[in-house]
Amino acid sequence: MPLNLSANLGNADNFYADLLAAHDGLSKAQSDALNARLILILANHIGDNDTLREALQAAATTGAIDAG
Amino acid sequence: MNKIFEVPLYPYARSEDQDAAAPVRRKVVIIGAGPVGLAAAIDLAQQGIEAVILDDNDKVSFGSRAICFAKRPLEILDRLGCGQPMVDKGVQWNLGKVFFGDRKVYDFNLLPEEGHKRPAFINLQQYYFEEYLVQRVRDLQAEGAPIEIRGKSKVEAIGTHPDHVALEVETPEGSYTLEADWLIAADGAGSPTRRMLGLDFVGRVFEDNFLIADVVMDAEFPTERWFWFDPPFNKGQSALLHKQPDGVWRIDLQLGWDIDKEEEKKPENVIPRLKAMLGDEVQFELEWVSIYTFQCRRMEKFRHGRVLFAGDSAHQVSPFGARGANSGVQDTDNLCWKLKLVIDGVADEDLLDSYDYERVVGADENILNSSRSTDFITPKSDISRIFRDAVLDLSEHHAFARPLVNSGRLSLPCTYDYSPLNSTDTLPEAPARARPGSPCPDADLGTGSGYLLDQLGDRFTILALNCVAAPLSEAGLDLDVISIAAPPGSDLAARYLGLAESAVYLIRPDQHVAARWDGYSETALRAALRRAIGKEQ
Ligand SMILES: Cc1cc2nc3c(=O)[nH]c(=O)nc-3n(C[C@H](O)[C@H](O)[C@H](O)COP(=O)(O)OP(=O)(O)OC[C@H]3O[C@@H](n4cnc5c(N)ncnc54)[C@H](O)[C@@H]3O)c2cc1C
């Protein structure tokens, strides 16, 4: 399945609020650990290696890291 | 008590070659009487090819080295006539436990597939492994096979020539020159041959130290593999506990990079570490303690003219996944039949380039697997540790995360998918696990007829399932037919037929599939055989 990069969340604002709420009150280390678990859970749900590679690529080529 | 690693097993004895007026020329000389050199010599000699092993030592491997021997090498040892004593002595195990911090996160069962003669793995000290190989050498000698081990014979210099190799051999009674048509360098990770020929050995060093201890104890620990990530008794590091025969247990403790190796090796420092792990009440005795750093690297090419590198001299891996000796024995399995055909004049020298091609593929697969295990066990950045710990935390509650836990992957034989010796797969509806290039899966032939692999080996064979085939002679080789019925539901049908109703397989002397069809075609078989011995591109 090709990676879906168009708007797909049922309710974007609710998801974003849930995401922040999950990190509420956590230390930096706890938040990092939670993010890592979340990535692994979502990756398993997607399952398909090609889609995941596309997602990694999309993440790697946006944002400040993509300096050139 | 005299331990077997303290007794000379192949003491120095003067050879007639030392007294010859001119250097004597032998067919194959092998440097190194480790697992790989011994396996090579046995393989050649039992097929009538003269093999002389030179080793600078006279004893089996010293101390803590290989303990896990996988199914494929055991099958190869069966072909070499010494699998049974290994399996009889070895400890079989299927269960493992994984711990993280102070808790067990999950356990697993290897659940080996039924219908194989050999188990997925046995644990056996490397010194026993070598001792049984040496015993096989002695038995072959008693039968008059052309095989010899020369102890305390150190190769000091090597001269390479277009048609032979010349060796300077140092012995307690002085040195002599020995010549060989072919040289197998099985002289280990520090290979002097590699150095003398000025060859490369590049790869990656893992910046970590491991304390490897073999302890003798009378303990209640079950026959399981226990692996700890970040245990309370070795904070921030890892640990392994694994059973060997004779009440010996292998313990690996990761120590980190900045340590004083000599200090750490001292019993007064080792014993408290082990007590913290095993509990104060457990009585144990140290058999052997070493500290290692691990490396993953290989030579660019395993063949250099008449010099063939095999085992640790050609490639080195970290021990997670037990791929060192296991893959080295697979090197010799691949090499020896080719060398025999070249020596017998059946195949051209170029056939040996396929050894390089196929075993480089195998080495790369092993290096990839071992590197990944090592990266998981010893995370080298903050983020890799965060992900590693996340996987372990999840594995306690969710099955999906368990396959991500990597404390070493089962050592499996490699499939030579793009080998120039393979013919095109004309039977894609049959199982992929028996496609050209794969090692033949074993199969229980049913009703007391034994196992398939015991019927193959040492020579090219035609396997005909649910059809007839005729023996044939081609390029100086005589091929026998093994004709077997493979009824639906049998191991053979599941592993070799799949959706096909019948099949003919051409099987190499190392029990890898060269070609397969849905029925017998003499022309196709002849062409595939020529291809499998490098006579047709
Ligand atoms: C802690 C540890 C755990 C391991 N666990 C496993 C495991 O579970 N499973 C597994 O498969 N592998 C394992 N290995 C790897 C395994 O021990 C090696 O891969 C194996 O010994 C390689 O065999 P070899 O014959 O290529 O070389 P070696 O065993 O190193 O033998 C080389 C021989 O060459 C001789 N030699 C060297 N130079 C000369 C010279 N100039 N002249 C004459 N002779 C010479 C040496 O004396 C030696 O006998 C482990 C290794 C370690 C260190």
Side-chain angles (χ1 to χ4, degrees), chain A residues 32-33 36-37 39-41 44, chain B residues 386-387 390-391 393-394 400 404:
Chain A
D32 284 347
R37 290 196 296 272
I39 289 170
L40 294 167
I41 289 168
N44 179 64
Chain B
I386 289 169
F387 275 113
V391 164
D393 277 327
L394 288 165
F400 91 82
L404 291 166

Side-chain angles (χ1 to χ4, degrees), chain B residues 10 31-37 54-57 64-69 126 130 153-156 186-189 192 196 212 250 292 294 310-313 319 322-327:
Chain B
Y10 35 90
I31 310 180
V36 176
L54 307 172
D55 198 288
D56 59 355
N57 206 322
S64 313
R65 293 183 78 191
I67 61 162
C68 288
F69 294 94
Q126 181 161 336
E130 293 179 13
S153 299
K154 182 173 184 186
V155 176
E156 290 278 20
D187 48 357
M196 289 186 262
I212 313 283
R250 166 62 55 87
Y292 292 99
F294 295 131
D312 276 13
S313 71
R323 286 158 192 272
N326 281 316
S327 67

Side-chain angles (χ1 to χ4, degrees), chain B residues 302 309-311 314-315 327-336 355 359:
Chain B
F302 297 172
F309 289 84
H315 44 75
S327 67
V329 171
Q330 290 169 66
D331 289 346
T332 64
D333 189 44
N334 188 292
L335 174 60
C336 290
Y355 163 69
R359 291 314 298 164

Side-chain angles (χ1 to χ4, degrees), chain B residues 124 152 163 188-189 200 290 300 333 380 426 435 475:
Chain B
L124 183 73
K152 296 258 183 237
D163 65 339
D200 56 12
S290 353
E300 193 190 335
D333 189 44
K380 285 296 177 285
T426 62
R435 67 188 182 276

Side-chain angles (χ1 to χ4, degrees), chain B residues 89-91 123-125 128 243-249:
Chain B
K89 178 79 189 175
V91 170
N123 284 3
L124 183 73
Q125 290 90 326
Y128 279 126
K243 191 178 186 173
Q244 307 173 58
D246 302 342
V248 178
W249 298 77

Side-chain angles (χ1 to χ4, degrees), chain B residues 99-136:
Chain B
F99 300 85
F100 181 36
D102 54 7
R103 63 201 203 276
K104 185 186 91 183
V105 284
Y106 69 97
D107 36 40
F108 61 87
N109 186 336
L110 293 177
L111 280 180
E113 189 183 54
E114 297 281 306
H116 293 262
K117 181 173 177 191
R118 293 309 180 197
F121 256 120
I122 61 165
N123 284 3
L124 183 73
Q125 290 90 326
Q126 181 161 336
Y127 49 72
Y128 279 126
F129 190 86
E130 293 179 13
E131 189 195 8
Y132 298 152
L133 287 170
V134 170
Q135 187 52 51
R136 175 66 181 146

